[in-house]
Amino acid sequence: MTGQLTARTMLAAYAQGVFPMADSASDPRLYWFDPAQRGILPVGGVHVSRSMRRFLRRCDWHATLNNDFAGVVDGCADRPETWINAPLRALYLDLFRMGHAHSLEIYTGDTLIGGLYGLTLGGAFFAESMFSRRENASKAALIWMSVHLARCGFVLWDTQYPNPHLASMGGQTISRLEYRRRLAAALQVQADMISQPLPGCYDLLQEITQTS
């Protein structure tokens, strides 16, 4: 499949609810996945614990959008086992240049300590992966992205597979049929990841307080 897959065909696959992954970084092949159970997060409504709110009030972290897309992808792949191989990384970079892939970075000073990235189509955000080099950095990225997606008009936040970490932040598990129904509706929505500025830490705290 690797030879035929382009950024355009990848977008067409996502519009049908299908996505590619590799078995490992050393395997150049890619495989299609269409899970029977799909994970989603509530746009603008992730759960933020009291301890995380206190942490965000005290920390000196800040977030950026699309400041270091390649660095975030590489941070996500920097683990003993990864499904991000070189062909998939190249496709993500193509999608980023096309405006269909975006990253959110978490910094302390000038040091990248966490982040997440994903693809966009219509009002759907397909989260691919996240990483953390400091405790709570990936949680901070999810919280920032939740608020930003709502500001920009997104209605579906796909996380591919459900897991306990995402469930603790409000993640839900839905069937393939229900996912496709929500995806079809989301593709009719016009949303733009760069239509609104990323909130600063003060605005972020204000917004998550209002939605709690």
Side-chain angles (χ1 to χ4, degrees), residues 168-197:
S168 72
M169 299 191 72
Q172 303 166 20
T173 302
I174 60 175
S175 68
R176 179 190 291 136
L177 184 62
E178 174 63 13
Y179 173 76
R180 287 182 176 173
R181 185 189 70 79
R182 297 192 189 194
L183 174 60
L187 293 176
Q188 302 306 310
V189 174
Q190 291 187 349
D192 185 353
M193 185 71 82
I194 60 173
S195 63
Q196 299 292 325

Side-chain angles (χ1 to χ4, degrees), residues 1-164:
M1 172 181 107
T2 305
Q4 294 81 26
L5 185 57
T6 66
R8 293 289 182 190
T9 56
M10 192 166 166
L11 286 175
Y14 274 77
Q16 300 299 315
V18 184
F19 57 88
M21 297 174 73
D23 271 348
S24 67
S26 60
D27 186 346
R29 294 169 294 182
L30 294 172
Y31 305 90
W32 292 116
F33 291 86
D34 184 14
Q37 299 292 309
R38 201 79 176 219
I40 60 170
L41 277 166
V43 173
V46 300
H47 172 68
V48 186
S49 66
R50 286 198 188 102
S51 60
M52 189 63 190
R53 292 170 196 264
R54 288 194 298 269
F55 179 83
L56 288 171
R57 289 190 190 100
R58 297 193 307 264
C59 80
D60 63 350
W61 297 353
H62 65 278
T64 59
L65 188 69
N66 296 333
N67 188 60
D68 188 1
F69 182 83
V72 172
V73 174
D74 292 341
C76 292
D78 185 18
R79 57 192 68 179
E81 295 184 7
T82 180
W83 47 267
I84 303 171
N85 63 6
L88 196 51
R89 181 183 186 276
L91 285 164
Y92 289 141
L93 290 173
D94 285 344
L95 288 162
F96 176 69
R97 286 187 284 267
M98 292 165 59
H100 282 287
H102 302 274
S103 60
L104 188 148
E105 302 85 16
I106 302 294
Y107 289 93
T108 178
D110 296 328
T111 303
L112 179 64
I113 59 170
L116 62 84
Y117 74 98
L119 278 57
T120 57
L121 276 176
F125 175 64
F126 307 91
E128 290 293 326
S129 189
M130 59 186 179
F131 79 103
S132 181
R133 293 177 181 144
R134 299 276 184 89
E135 186 177 1
N136 290 329
S138 62
K139 283 185 180 180
L142 285 171
I143 295 165
W144 245 293
M145 182 60 81
S146 176
V147 170
H148 188 64
L149 289 174
R151 283 183 166 194
C152 295
F154 287 86
V155 296
L156 177 64
W157 187 351
D158 169 36
T159 64
Q160 297 179 345
Y161 294 101
N163 64 53

